[in-house]
Amino acid sequence: MDASTIGMIAFAAVLILLALRVPIAFTLAAVATVATFFIFAFRTGTFMPERAIKATTSMVFSNSFDLIHSYDLSMIPLFVALGHIAYRADITTKIYHAAKVWLTRLPGGVAMASVMGCGGFSAITGSSIACASTMGKICTPEMLRMGYDPRLATASVAAGGTLGSLIPPSVLFIIYGIFTETSISSLFLAGVLPGLLTLTGFVLVIAVWVWRDPAVAPSTDQRYTARERWQAALDSWPAILLFVLIIGGIYGGIFTATEAAAVCVVSATLIGFVQRKLDWAGLWAAVKETCVQTSAIFLIAASAKIFVAFVALTGVAGTIVGFVSDAQMSLVVLMLCIALIYLLLGMFLDPIGIMVLTLPLMIPLVESYDLNLIWFGVVVIKLLEIGLITPPVGLNVFVIANVVGREAPIDKIFAGITRFLSVDFIVLILIMSFPMISLLIPMAAR
């Protein structure tokens, strides 16, 4: 049995196990290990298992060890910790409060503030699920209490939560950069304009929705004085400071992405203690939450690294590149096919799982067309972002549904999501058609 045949069987096994809801970390590690064993065992043409044991264990342990000891991977626990500490120090919620104070009098203003709050939260945490969960607990109940239509109240937060994938820092960008060996700092900078473009589009969706149907966002009698508005804006300075440290530090060449993460964690902790919003119990709780979340990500990443080594061993990626080359597929058709694959997978799998499953095959294909990997990374993250609110899975939708309970069934949330999805697809088309949207800031930073 040759390596390519074993590779095809392994891919089929992965899809079957994922369909059976086996965790993706266990699926990738188990399938890659067993399949690698068979490749080495059949290397001489006959089945010789005694020759495969040492080679298989060496490949499995060396690849997982190299990944876990990667310097770039240290960014993940730092940015995850930053998100938890900033939340417990009340830094992230102040962004939403400031936006609400300034926008309350506008039709749909609280929903717009929710999206902006999600954008600000994303600029610190880097996790879409964490953003949807946290902001859902803060924003959605308040909008429902004010009489907002459940579709608008829930969909605005579910869609706004996806900004955590694109607006830096992003855990998905970190994983993409590690597996493709591209600059994570450049990826962060490349996500800024597409992220802001998406945020602006979401705000416009709310404005048009409320303009066409004012009943979905009843007006409020609550008024704030000019002093209260400026005070709310000033109170959000810690969040602005952290974002400036991340983006300004990287853009100005002062910090690497890892150093920026470390500086921001220390800064957020000090700000929390000085403002008496954070105590030792809260810090310890944030550390525990960080350990749990980071362990899950590391387990998936280590399993994916083993799977990547297995794919290289099979030569399947080269076969696919050769097939596409022989088919003389145009760039437009190629990108449409890639987008379709990611959108379909996004309906059933989580973003990290999709990324680690597809990158071993996609990157050689993209490189054969001499495409910019920074730009392609933004396209991939945008596609994964769309998958977070696409039925039937839509992880962010289920997160919001768990937060609000019976007040907003899943079908109502998906009914509201369709309007935001239209903006996502428009932004995706713009990013794919005009790579400079993604590459402008990274090129300026050189």
Side-chain angles (χ1 to χ4, degrees), residues 279-292:
D279 55 20
W280 290 108
L283 180 61
W284 177 241
V287 170
K288 289 192 292 185
E289 291 165 353
T290 300
C291 290
V292 172

Side-chain angles (χ1 to χ4, degrees), residues 65-383:
F65 181 86
D66 289 343
L67 177 79
I68 297 301
H69 286 74
S70 167
Y71 175 74
D72 289 335
L73 204 64
S74 61
M75 271 184 277
I76 292 179
L78 287 171
F79 279 123
V80 171
L82 175 61
H84 289 298
I85 292 171
Y87 170 66
R88 292 186 175 275
D90 204 28
I91 294 174
T92 53
T93 53
K94 286 179 180 177
I95 307 170
Y96 164 69
H97 178 69
K100 187 187 74 170
V101 168
W102 279 87
L103 300 173
T104 294
R105 298 183 64 178
L106 292 176
V110 179
M112 295 177 186
S114 300
V115 171
M116 292 183 178
C118 287
F121 190 98
S122 302
I124 298 173
T125 62
S127 171
S128 291
I129 303 298
C131 180
S133 176
T134 303
M135 298 306 292
K137 295 172 186 175
I138 298 170
C139 311
T140 308
E142 182 172 0
M143 284 188 279
L144 293 174
R145 179 182 56 79
M146 294 174 65
Y148 272 60
D149 189 302
R151 295 174 301 166
L152 175 58
T154 54
S156 57
V157 181
T162 64
L163 295 169
S165 298
L166 208 53
I167 293 180
S170 166
V171 172
L172 292 179
F173 271 139
I174 295 172
I175 295 175
Y176 177 90
I178 291 172
F179 277 88
T180 59
E181 298 181 356
T182 51
S183 168
I184 296 174
S185 297
S186 296
L187 287 167
F188 280 177
L189 296 176
V192 173
L193 286 182
L196 294 177
L197 192 61
T198 304
L199 189 152
T200 303
F202 287 167
V203 171
L204 289 176
V205 164
I206 296 170
V208 172
W209 191 350
V210 176
W211 173 66
R212 296 185 63 182
D213 186 7
V216 300
S219 58
T220 177
D221 296 329
Q222 190 172 16
R223 296 290 184 269
Y224 294 95
T225 64
R227 181 177 180 178
E228 289 174 324
R229 288 198 297 270
W230 284 110
Q231 186 61 51
L234 290 173
D235 286 343
S236 65
W237 70 265
I240 297 172
L241 172 64
L242 294 177
F243 182 72
V244 170
L245 283 174
I246 294 170
I247 299 302
I250 294 173
Y251 185 87
I254 302 171
F255 305 129
T256 64
T258 306
E259 291 167 346
V263 169
C264 286
V265 168
V266 174
S267 300
T269 303
L270 291 176
I271 290 170
F273 276 109
V274 170
Q275 294 187 332
R276 297 185 178 181
K277 298 291 186 179
L278 183 68
D279 55 20
W280 290 108
L283 180 61
W284 177 241
V287 170
K288 289 192 292 185
E289 291 165 353
T290 300
C291 290
V292 172
Q293 190 174 346
T294 301
S295 298
I297 295 173
F298 275 26
L299 186 60
I300 294 174
S303 301
K305 191 68 173 179
I306 298 170
F307 190 75
V308 169
F310 158 70
V311 171
L313 198 62
T314 62
V316 171
T319 302
I320 294 175
V321 171
F323 173 78
V324 173
S325 179
D326 293 340
Q328 296 183 336
M329 192 179 293
S330 69
L331 179 58
V332 174
V333 174
L334 173 70
M335 293 307 299
L336 286 175
C337 290
I338 290 175
L340 183 61
I341 291 170
Y342 275 100
L343 291 174
L344 288 173
L345 290 175
M347 295 180 181
F348 305 101
L349 299 176
D350 66 279
I352 294 179
I354 296 170
M355 181 180 290
V356 299
L357 183 63
T358 57
L359 287 182
L361 300 178
M362 293 297 179
I363 296 306
L365 192 60
V366 170
E367 288 178 332
S368 70
Y369 277 73
D370 198 27
L371 298 177
N372 187 291
L373 289 181
I374 300 293
W375 164 78
F376 183 70
V378 175
V379 172
V380 168
I381 302 303
K382 185 62 187 177
L383 288 166

Side-chain angles (χ1 to χ4, degrees), residues 1-73:
M1 189 180 297
D2 59 54
S4 59
T5 302
I6 295 175
M8 294 300 181
I9 296 172
F11 274 105
V14 167
L15 295 177
I16 292 171
L17 290 172
L18 291 177
L20 295 173
R21 312 306 298 172
V22 177
I24 191 164
F26 300 139
T27 296
L28 293 179
V31 171
T33 301
V34 173
T36 300
F37 175 83
F38 277 99
I39 289 176
F40 285 124
F42 278 107
R43 175 151 288 185
T44 59
T46 56
F47 186 65
M48 301 180 68
E50 64 277 4
R51 294 189 177 182
I53 296 174
K54 185 176 181 180
T56 302
T57 54
S58 175
M59 190 207 76
V60 169
F61 288 114
S62 63
N63 279 280
S64 56
F65 181 86
D66 289 343
L67 177 79
I68 297 301
H69 286 74
S70 167
Y71 175 74
D72 289 335
L73 204 64

